[in-house]
Amino acid sequence: MGHRPDGADGGAGCRASGRAGESVPATPSEVILPLAGFAASRGELGLVSAIVFTTLGSIVGALALYGVGAGLGRDRTRAIAEKLPLVKVRDIDKAEDWFNRHGPKAVLIGRLVPVVRSLISVPAGVERMPVGLFLPLTAIGSLVWNSLLIVAGYQLGERWHVVESSVGVFQKLVIAGAVAAVVWFVAVKIRARRSDPEKVK
């Protein structure tokens, strides 16, 4: 058929894919997003449209999981997760631990880490993180992640599946960067506290 840079059907499919990758951890975005990029490279949908619609889908999925955490609380959410075939309780625990260690920053950084990115919204909801903060952090993190994988699939073309095997390396780089950022932040705070008494003297 003809070139459809902004096809409605493609946009709807991207939104659905984004929601699936965000709210169903068993649906890996590492596969869905590069495939969307490949479709864009063939002219089946626009590159920008793919990024925008998958990001919107990610936000909707994240809000749904936020609502689950806020509405059910930690214990009931974990109890339900134990009965779901596609969700692992240890993954929820991993996301919760990530949130407890990094606070609101976890919502932004966690979007770049597979598994954590899908479930970080749950502890954010449980802790009733302000929606006004949750939404922009989710949007920024999702936009960065979706753009990276979609553009990679777009550039690789028929070799889009190579992206999936490279995500593990990327995940390690993100975690290392997050640790370095936390260490730097703590060092700055300690240095500031040590300099305050000197100023008073």
Side-chain angles (χ1 to χ4, degrees):
M1 299 296 289
H3 177 65
R4 295 184 303 163
D6 294 296
D9 292 341
C14 284
R15 283 195 299 272
S17 298
R19 286 195 299 270
E22 187 69 34
S23 58
V24 182
T27 310
S29 58
E30 298 94 309
V31 175
I32 294 174
L33 296 177
L35 182 57
F38 171 57
S41 73
R42 297 182 59 186
E44 296 177 11
L45 68 155
L47 179 61
V48 174
S49 296
I51 293 173
V52 170
F53 287 124
T54 54
T55 300
L56 287 175
S58 296
I59 293 172
V60 171
L63 281 173
L65 290 178
Y66 178 96
V68 169
L72 299 180
R74 180 180 184 275
D75 294 338
R76 290 175 63 189
T77 299
R78 293 181 84 259
I80 292 175
E82 290 178 350
K83 301 176 182 178
L84 297 177
L86 300 179
V87 180
K88 299 177 181 178
V89 176
R90 68 172 178 269
D91 290 339
I92 294 180
D93 292 339
K94 181 179 180 181
E96 182 180 30
D97 180 62
W98 186 275
F99 187 84
N100 290 336
R101 282 189 288 129
H102 300 290
K105 295 190 297 295
V107 174
L108 175 61
I109 300 172
R111 296 291 162 198
L112 307 178
V113 180
V115 179
V116 171
R117 72 179 304 276
S118 297
L119 295 172
I120 194 66
S121 303
V122 175
V126 170
E127 297 298 327
R128 299 299 177 94
M129 179 180 175
V131 176
L133 179 60
F134 174 78
L135 272 180
L137 291 179
T138 295
I140 294 171
S142 297
L143 177 62
V144 171
W145 176 260
N146 293 352
S147 297
L148 286 173
L149 269 65
I150 289 175
V151 170
Y154 183 88
Q155 295 293 335
L156 289 169
E158 294 186 357
R159 296 191 300 120
W160 61 270
H161 52 83
V162 174
V163 179
E164 182 182 7
S165 61
S166 304
V167 169
V169 176
F170 179 68
Q171 176 182 352
K172 293 177 181 178
L173 291 175
V174 170
I175 293 175
V179 171
V182 171
V183 171
W184 175 82
F185 179 78
V186 172
V188 169
K189 288 294 184 180
I190 292 176
R191 187 177 301 175
R193 288 182 180 178
R194 289 177 177 175
S195 63
D196 285 343
E198 295 177 0
K199 292 180 180 179
V200 174
K201 293 178 181 179

